[in-house]
Amino acid sequence: MTGRRDFLSQPAPENYVAGLGRGATGFTTRSDLGPAREGPSEDQIKEALAKRAAQLGFGGDIAGKKDDDDDNDDRYQDPDNEVGLFAGGVYDKDDDEADRIYREIDEKMDKRRKARREAREIAEREEYELKNPKIQQQFADLKRGLESVTEDEWAALPEVGDLTGKNRRSKQARQQRFYAVPDSVLAAAGSAGELGTIVVEDGAASTAGGSSGQDGTMTNFAKIGQARDKVLQVRLDQASQNGTTTSGSATSVDPKGYLTSLAKSQLPESAAQVGDINRVRELLESVIKTNPNNGPGWIAAARLEELAGKVVAARNVIARGCQHCPKNEDVWLENIRLNEGRNAKVIAAQAIEKNNRSVRLWVEAMKLEDDARSKKRVIRHAIDHIPESEALWKEAVNLEEDPDDARLLLAKATELIPLSVDLWLALARLETPENAQKVLNKARKHCPTSHEIWIAAARLQEQLGQGEKVNVMKRAAQVLVKESAMPKREEWIAEAEKCEQEGAIITCGAIVRETLGYGLDEDDDRKDTWLDDARGCINRGMYETARAIYAYALRVFPTSKTIWLAAADLERNHGSKEDLWQVLEKAVNAVPRSEVLWMMLAKEKWQAGEIDNARRVLARAFQQNPNNEDIWLAAVKLEAENGQIEQARGLLKTARQEAPTDRVWMKSVAFERQLDDPDAALDLVQQALNLFPASAKLWMMKGQIYEDIGKPLQAREAYSTGVKAVPKSVPLWLLYSRLEEKLGQLPKARSVLDRARLAVPKSAELWCESVRVERRAQNTKQAESLMERALRDVSKPDQGILWSEKIWHLTARPQRKPRALEAIKEVDNDPTLLIAVARIFWGERRLEKAQNWFEKALVRDSDLGDSWAWYYKFLVEHGTEEKREEVITKCVGVEPRHGEVWQAVAKNPKNARKSVEEVLKIVATEMH
């Protein structure tokens, strides 16, 4: 023990760091926060490591090696920092190419690994989801089963709660509370229901609780009755005092007054908006005490008392307000409103005495008077005090019954207030036309920036019959532009519509003609802007303004076919026949190369029964548009409809020579078919096919002609050759398939449709026909399989016909509505699908909904004839005669041209001469 060195008491060696030899470094704990000892520096650590290395015999190699390692680490931390071996090298094109090759190899390997990696990740994710399904997936079948739950079953479900016995008992125990009850309460409760008494000999009664009256429990029923009568009398006296009249002479309760007092004691409904009356009253009292000159505070306080049913208090409050705010007209007006009769007049007089320049107070004082004479006296006093008030002069004029007196007042008013446009216009209306012109001239001098005065001057010229000769609005536009007071174009259109409503048609047109182009440059889309303006006027029923807009637009764009068609449409719907002819005549003269306008004019003449004029129109059209196939065919139709068969045939022959198009040849073949001359039709169609072998309609017509004359084999050959020549024609494939099916060659029909789907992929019509072929062959399973394939192959916007077929022929009746809902989610706003939904409601006798869905289908596509036919068939059973006539009229106006059944009926040669109404009725009978 004595030889052991006492090192603990010795000082530490220089640069000694505890634990440094075994690799430990200093650290700081939570207890060292604050004045903690600073650890060794970096130099001290290096020196200690060097000493340790020297003791172990490594010498200075360790430090050098460490430096080399550090150097190497720094060297290769950044791959672009090439030092050492390549420090003096030059980065040339070969290095660049090598780097690019290595980079491409890395990218290619990464892509190869990426595909395998993604596939592996997908497989792992699927395996994980299969082993660990989500709660939503576990209950998916149960959620689907909720479809069969009825409303009664759903309503019978118990409320959500904790049904465990332990929690329920503890909750009930918490709700129950027990208190210690005194014995006196229990005794009183025990004797509360006892009614037994004991009658003693002297006639008195004692309770059952005592056998004698010595205990003080004896009761005198006579005195109890007298006391009860006194109490009742006191209550009646109190009620009579509350219900007496003002004189105090009544001794009974007034029922009406009693009910009135009850009503007044209750707050009105609006009291709920104020909330706590007392709290608001204190707040408002603080406001008026703090600032007694605040008029709105007094008004609010008075209205609060009125709201609380204290009218007298409200009058007192507002009277104090008038004393504190004698110059505030709002406070005086509130005081007048709260008072009635003579008191109101007295208050009005006091108010005017304090504020004799207040127009509102004078007008209110005038309204308090009962007779017209007193009103006039008050308003004239007001004008004496405020002669420049326009409102007072207007009130004075309105009080005058004699026009001469009113004219004198207005003349004086315009002298005193020369800038009032309303007074000038009122004076002009009361004057004679000659004097009115002078008045308006004076008004223009005083108010050069008022467009109302210029419009009034234009209307005056129209009344004098000078509206067409004197162009007032042109001068008005020039002056207003010079004065920088030109209103906007929309304001001018509104003024024009106002003139049209008041019957000033010439002024309406002049306004539009002189102001419609203001503010629009040539760079702006003026045509579309004016067309939108005209459509807006038509929607508001302002047809004359719309005509004026179209007329101005045609002056700027005289060769615009769009504007001419819009103007003609306006006249057709809202004008006369002569106006329509006049517009179309101007149109064909302005745009002679437009065959549409020529044919519209010819059609209008023809429908009016003027056949010769229609021929002349077409002759003029031929001169302007030689060899135009539309005009040729219109001339043929005109002659054919009027029974001129040979002349129509000659026109077609000339058209085939002058304008040899495939359409002219098709019309020639169709014309011969209508005349029941199949030989001539076959000859023409063969000639046409030699000229136009790629015309699908010619091939179809050839096959149909052979079918009509009973030669199905030749028809098959025609269709077969046609689909080879025109493989993209869906109707041609359909005719070919139906012919094979009609001949009993069902496998051949399937083969044709398979080839058709290869030639025209994603065609809804071809898929639907394939389904129908299987359905007609009683192969329901195959039809359903084809339908599923069709819904996967055809794009969603074109699936309407497929869903309609599936709903009506491949779905059981109870499941049709859910299937229709699913279809609507997939295919939105398809007219065929909308018709299918309407038919479902029709079958369920929900007629109003069915009618709404039919109308939706017509709005979606009015050119689909099948929709019109279904709607008409529905109205035949469940509609009125007026509704059926309305539908027929709209259908005739639209002239639908498409539809599966509609086209088959309309293009039948037997129905060639039938009108749209007749075709509609035929198609409606064939719908099933």
Side-chain angles (χ1 to χ4, degrees), residues 254-290:
D254 183 11
K256 295 182 180 180
Y258 184 67
L259 293 177
T260 305
S261 64
L262 285 178
K264 289 184 178 180
S265 65
Q266 297 178 356
L267 291 178
E269 295 180 359
S270 58
Q273 300 176 1
V274 177
D276 190 357
I277 298 293
N278 294 329
R279 183 158 49 87
V280 178
R281 182 183 291 114
E282 292 177 0
L283 178 63
L284 292 177
E285 287 179 357
S286 175
V287 170
I288 58 181
K289 286 181 180 178
T290 304

Side-chain angles (χ1 to χ4, degrees), residues 475-781:
R475 175 63 178 163
Q478 296 174 354
V479 172
L480 291 173
V481 170
K482 183 179 179 180
E483 297 290 339
S484 300
M486 189 72 170
K488 295 181 180 179
R489 185 174 51 85
E490 292 79 4
E491 297 179 12
W492 282 116
I493 293 176
E495 292 290 345
E497 292 179 352
K498 183 178 179 181
C499 292
E500 179 182 353
Q501 288 178 340
E502 297 175 358
I505 305 301
I506 297 177
T507 305
C508 169
I511 292 173
V512 173
R513 185 171 60 251
E514 299 299 335
T515 62
L516 191 64
Y518 176 75
L520 293 177
D521 299 329
E522 294 183 0
D523 297 336
D524 298 331
D525 199 354
R526 295 183 293 174
K527 184 194 299 185
D528 293 338
T529 302
W530 291 334
L531 287 175
D532 291 339
D533 293 338
R535 281 191 289 266
C537 294
I538 293 172
N539 293 333
R540 291 188 292 271
M542 302 300 167
Y543 306 121
E544 292 295 336
T545 307
R547 287 190 182 94
I549 293 174
Y550 282 139
Y552 182 82
L554 289 171
R555 286 174 55 191
V556 180
F557 303 101
T559 60
S560 174
K561 186 171 67 174
T562 306
I563 301 177
W564 282 114
L565 291 174
D569 187 64
L570 171 63
E571 299 300 337
R572 182 185 297 107
N573 295 325
H574 306 288
S576 62
K577 188 186 305 181
E578 290 75 14
D579 293 336
L580 176 59
W581 291 351
Q582 184 178 1
V583 169
L584 289 175
E585 283 287 351
K586 293 179 180 179
V588 296
N589 291 330
V591 194
R593 295 291 181 180
S594 175
E595 67 274 6
V596 176
L597 295 173
W598 284 108
M599 289 193 298
M600 285 180 63
L601 180 56
K603 183 178 180 181
E604 295 297 333
K605 296 284 186 180
W606 170 43
Q607 290 180 348
E610 299 183 4
I611 307 299
D612 294 335
N613 289 333
R615 289 194 181 102
R616 294 190 188 97
V617 170
L618 290 176
R620 292 164 54 197
F622 276 125
Q623 296 176 1
Q624 298 293 336
N625 301 273
N627 300 330
N628 186 282
E629 67 173 13
D630 292 324
I631 299 176
W632 278 107
L633 295 177
V636 171
K637 184 178 181 180
L638 176 63
E639 300 299 338
E641 292 289 342
N642 290 281
Q644 303 294 329
I645 304 301
E646 294 300 327
Q647 192 169 356
R649 184 175 285 161
L651 285 173
L652 282 171
K653 183 177 180 180
T654 307
R656 290 197 298 271
Q657 297 173 358
E658 300 293 337
T661 63
D662 57 343
R663 187 180 174 205
V664 172
W665 282 95
M666 280 189 293
K667 292 296 182 181
S668 301
V669 176
F671 183 71
E672 297 299 337
R673 287 186 67 193
Q674 294 169 13
L675 297 177
D676 198 13
D677 191 353
D679 296 333
L682 276 174
D683 184 36
L684 286 173
V685 78
Q686 192 58 48
Q687 296 179 37
L689 285 172
N690 293 333
L691 296 173
F692 307 100
S695 176
K697 290 186 178 181
L698 290 173
W699 288 109
M700 286 188 283
M701 295 177 80
K702 183 178 180 180
Q704 289 171 343
I705 293 171
Y706 278 123
E707 286 190 63
D708 292 340
I709 62 178
K711 294 182 179 181
L713 299 180
Q714 288 83 346
R716 174 190 289 173
E717 182 181 358
Y719 290 143
S720 177
T721 309
V723 296
K724 293 177 183 177
V726 194
K728 297 295 184 181
S729 175
V730 173
L732 189 55
W733 284 107
L734 294 176
L735 289 175
Y736 190 10
S737 169
R738 289 168 185 170
L739 175 63
E740 297 294 347
E741 186 180 4
K742 189 187 300 183
L743 295 176
Q745 300 294 327
L746 190 59
K748 182 72 173 175
R750 293 190 182 116
S751 174
V752 169
L753 289 172
D754 290 341
R755 290 164 51 199
R757 292 200 303 272
L758 291 175
V760 189
K762 301 183 183 301
S763 172
E765 291 82 4
L766 292 175
W767 276 108
C768 187
E769 186 65 22
S770 300
V771 173
R772 290 173 179 173
V773 167
E774 300 299 336
R775 179 174 56 81
R776 288 192 288 264
Q778 306 301 322
N779 296 330
T780 307
K781 295 293 184 183

Side-chain angles (χ1 to χ4, degrees), residues 142-163:
L142 298 177
K143 291 171 70 176
R144 285 194 296 269
L146 291 176
E147 295 178 351
S148 59
V149 177
T150 62
E151 293 184 2
D152 297 335
E153 293 175 348
W154 189 269
L157 291 176
E159 295 293 334
V160 179
D162 190 357
L163 302 180

Side-chain angles (χ1 to χ4, degrees), residues 889-903:
T889 304
K890 290 183 178 179
C891 183
V892 172
V894 172
E895 293 185 6
R897 299 182 182 275
H898 296 88
E900 189 175 1
V901 183
W902 184 275
Q903 283 185 323

Side-chain angles (χ1 to χ4, degrees), residues 115-167:
R116 290 199 300 268
R117 183 174 66 253
E118 290 180 351
R120 186 180 68 254
E121 290 176 354
I122 292 173
E124 291 176 354
R125 184 170 62 253
E126 291 178 351
E127 182 180 0
Y128 176 79
E129 291 178 354
L130 184 63
K131 292 180 180 179
N132 304 285
K134 297 181 180 178
I135 298 297
Q136 181 181 4
Q137 297 173 353
Q138 293 179 7
F139 290 94
D141 55 340
L142 298 177
K143 291 171 70 176
R144 285 194 296 269
L146 291 176
E147 295 178 351
S148 59
V149 177
T150 62
E151 293 184 2
D152 297 335
E153 293 175 348
W154 189 269
L157 291 176
E159 295 293 334
V160 179
D162 190 357
L163 302 180
T164 58
K166 181 179 179 181
N167 291 338

Side-chain angles (χ1 to χ4, degrees), residues 243-426:
T244 54
T245 59
T246 55
S247 62
S249 60
T251 58
S252 61
V253 177
D254 183 11
K256 295 182 180 180
Y258 184 67
L259 293 177
T260 305
S261 64
L262 285 178
K264 289 184 178 180
S265 65
Q266 297 178 356
L267 291 178
E269 295 180 359
S270 58
Q273 300 176 1
V274 177
D276 190 357
I277 298 293
N278 294 329
R279 183 158 49 87
V280 178
R281 182 183 291 114
E282 292 177 0
L283 178 63
L284 292 177
E285 287 179 357
S286 175
V287 170
I288 58 181
K289 286 181 180 178
T290 304
N291 187 6
N293 296 326
N294 184 14
W298 291 103
I299 296 173
R303 289 184 180 177
L304 176 66
E305 300 298 339
E306 182 186 13
L307 192 66
K310 300 179 179 181
V311 180
V312 176
R315 291 172 181 169
N316 294 333
V317 169
I318 202 66
R320 290 164 51 204
C322 292
Q323 294 175 3
H324 287 86
C325 307
K327 296 297 182 180
N328 192 317
E329 61 180 7
D330 292 327
V331 178
W332 285 106
L333 290 172
E334 184 69 16
N335 197 357
I336 294 171
R337 185 186 68 82
L338 289 174
N339 288 272
E340 299 175 355
R342 182 168 181 80
N343 290 338
K345 294 181 181 180
V346 172
I347 294 171
Q350 295 175 359
I352 291 173
E353 184 179 355
K354 301 287 185 181
N355 303 273
N356 57 0
R357 302 284 298 175
S358 174
V359 176
R360 295 168 61 193
L361 288 175
W362 280 108
V363 172
E364 192 65 28
M366 182 267 295
K367 291 180 180 178
L368 292 174
E369 299 295 338
D370 297 329
D371 57 314
R373 184 175 180 181
S374 300
K375 290 177 182 290
K376 292 179 182 179
R377 184 178 67 253
V378 172
I379 208 68
R380 286 173 182 170
H381 281 299
I383 291 174
D384 291 339
H385 287 84
I386 319 173
E388 70 277 3
S389 173
E390 181 180 352
L392 292 177
W393 282 107
K394 288 181 180 179
E395 293 289 345
V397 172
N398 291 333
L399 290 174
E400 295 295 339
E401 298 177 357
D402 189 0
D404 295 334
D405 295 339
R407 190 183 304 116
L408 293 175
L409 284 175
L410 286 171
K412 184 64 176 177
T414 52
E415 291 179 7
L416 295 174
I417 315 173
L419 299 180
S420 174
V421 177
D422 294 336
L423 294 177
W424 282 111
L425 294 177

